[in-house]
Amino acid sequence: KLGSRHHICLLKWLLGLLPFVILLVIHLFTRRFIRVQREILLLFMLFLLFPLVCFIILTLKSADPAANLTATAAIYFSLALFYLQTYPVLTAEIPSFKILRLVYRRNGITETEIIASMRDDKELFDAKVEELEKDSLVTRRQDGRYELSRPGKILADLFILYRSLLGTKWGKG
């Protein structure tokens, strides 16, 4: 009887992992070959909204106990949320990764060389501002100044709340 419990647990893990892997492959394909303009919206719809609707429909239509689907959904959403939180860090040209890449490529580098190469990081900020504009999180006014859109304000408020819960001060990492 104990063996069957392990099989059920393994099945729940696999059923939570399978949709995540499928959606991950779809996302990687669209990122590489299609280049969607509003990537944050795509990530939200692909990894959160679409699966949530699917799990709700499955729960309503399934004869399987809701606890089984809930466990599977919890596994899926844990993976999806982990991916969504780490995705921006892995795709951005962040200073820490840039330093690691510099040290790796040069097989030894001085602090002065690192600082000199980091001064030219205007492309990092330009790319991020462009990404925020494409995702309609910031808009540029006629005077050239940027301001948050309504979704940008919501995201900024959530980010500030999250950082305050972590005890991280503004501008500190």
Side-chain angles (χ1 to χ4, degrees), residues 19-149:
F20 174 75
V21 170
I22 291 169
L23 293 174
L24 179 64
V25 168
I26 291 169
H27 177 246
L28 294 175
F29 179 82
T30 58
R31 178 168 167 74
R32 263 193 89 115
F33 300 111
I34 298 175
R35 295 284 184 187
V36 175
Q37 288 292 320
R38 299 182 71 184
E39 191 170 28
I40 292 174
L41 180 62
L42 172 70
L43 288 167
F44 174 77
M45 290 175 60
L46 190 63
F47 286 98
L48 296 178
L49 189 62
F50 173 70
L52 181 62
V53 170
C54 289
F55 278 117
I56 289 171
I57 291 170
L58 283 173
T59 302
L60 295 175
K61 299 259 183 201
S62 177
D64 196 25
N68 286 336
L69 283 171
T70 303
T72 300
I75 292 165
Y76 167 79
F77 284 110
S78 296
L79 293 168
L81 290 171
F82 173 77
Y83 180 67
L84 291 174
Q85 283 193 328
T86 58
Y87 177 76
V89 173
L90 297 173
T91 58
E93 184 67 33
I94 59 174
S96 299
F97 286 171
K98 189 170 183 176
I99 292 169
L100 288 173
R101 196 173 60 242
L102 281 169
V103 173
Y104 175 79
R105 284 186 179 161
R106 295 194 186 169
N107 198 18
I109 185 172
T110 67
E111 184 177 341
T112 306
E113 291 171 315
I114 291 172
I115 291 169
S117 69
M118 297 300 280
R119 277 193 198 118
D120 304 328
D121 248 351
K122 188 174 181 327
E123 79 250 7
L124 169 67
F125 298 105
D126 289 345
K128 287 296 157 194
V129 170
E130 183 179 319
E131 182 181 310
L132 291 169
E133 280 183 292
K134 283 181 184 175
D135 286 320
S136 300
L137 296 173
V138 298
T139 57
R140 189 187 304 213
R141 299 188 313 211
Q142 287 182 345
D143 64 2
R145 298 176 65 92
Y146 292 98
E147 64 185 5
L148 292 174
S149 64

Side-chain angles (χ1 to χ4, degrees), residues 10-20 55 64 72 75-76:
L10 179 62
L11 182 63
K12 288 177 188 177
W13 270 100
L14 292 175
L15 289 175
L17 181 64
L18 182 64
F20 174 75
F55 278 117
D64 196 25
T72 300
I75 292 165
Y76 167 79

